[in-house]
Amino acid sequence: MKKSTHVLGIAGSISLLLVLGVFLAMMGPLVTWAGEAWTIYDWTFGNQALQATANGGMITAFILTIIAAVVILLSLAFSWGKGSHKFAGFFYMVGAVLAIIAGVLLFLGKQMIGDFLPGQASYSLSYGAILAASLNIVGGLISGIFGFLAFKK
């Protein structure tokens, strides 16, 4: 195998781990509001106890993250094997776009759920959303850069 094959596979593995880390980061709070912290999963699937309804933006970010992880995993399989590196590079770029869009949606979580919080309380974006969005964007950037380099060859 060529050295570039290893670099592409390692970069894809790192990108996949970062995107999969988003699912752990989603257990962290999306917003802190009136002394309470509501997780991203509360706003993705809804939580009757907290009276949090499922939010379309959070559902979209969750689904885009799942699709990005699957696409990056598929391209990872092609980058390690004897398959076409241009094909793997194309799928790395597709996964990167999906991950970056999901990361931007997670950064905008405060604005998306703002109308669903009861009252006019002061609330702020919390570390769970910042970490999940950052992992998605960094994983997408790594995937996109190495995908572009592989596709360019």
Side-chain angles (χ1 to χ4, degrees):
M1 279 192 215
K2 292 192 263 182
K3 190 175 182 180
S4 64
T5 302
H6 294 300
V7 172
L8 186 61
I10 291 170
S13 299
I14 291 170
S15 176
L16 182 65
L17 287 175
L18 289 173
V19 172
L20 290 177
V22 172
F23 296 110
L24 291 175
M26 283 183 170
M27 287 190 254
L30 173 64
V31 292
T32 52
W33 167 75
E36 294 184 27
W38 294 355
T39 68
I40 297 172
Y41 287 125
D42 290 337
W43 293 102
T44 302
F45 302 112
N47 187 339
Q48 293 296 330
L50 296 175
Q51 297 176 349
T53 58
N55 184 281
M58 293 294 106
I59 293 170
T60 304
F62 183 75
I63 290 172
L64 285 176
T65 304
I66 290 173
I67 295 171
V70 169
V71 168
I72 292 172
L73 182 64
L74 177 67
S75 59
L76 184 62
F78 282 105
S79 66
W80 281 113
K82 295 187 186 256
S84 171
H85 292 287
K86 287 192 177 206
F87 186 71
F90 173 73
F91 272 105
Y92 275 130
M93 290 188 293
V94 170
V97 169
L98 294 172
I100 291 170
I101 290 171
V104 170
L105 285 175
L106 288 170
F107 268 128
L108 295 175
K110 176 183 165 187
Q111 286 76 18
M112 286 190 284
I113 66 164
D115 294 337
F116 295 99
L117 289 172
Q120 297 295 326
S122 174
Y123 58 95
S124 62
L125 193 65
S126 191
Y127 67 88
I130 295 170
L131 181 62
S134 299
L135 286 173
N136 243 346
I137 290 174
V138 170
L141 286 174
I142 291 172
S143 178
I145 290 169
F146 283 94
F148 178 75
L149 292 176
F151 190 71
K152 189 178 171 184
K153 284 186 178 182

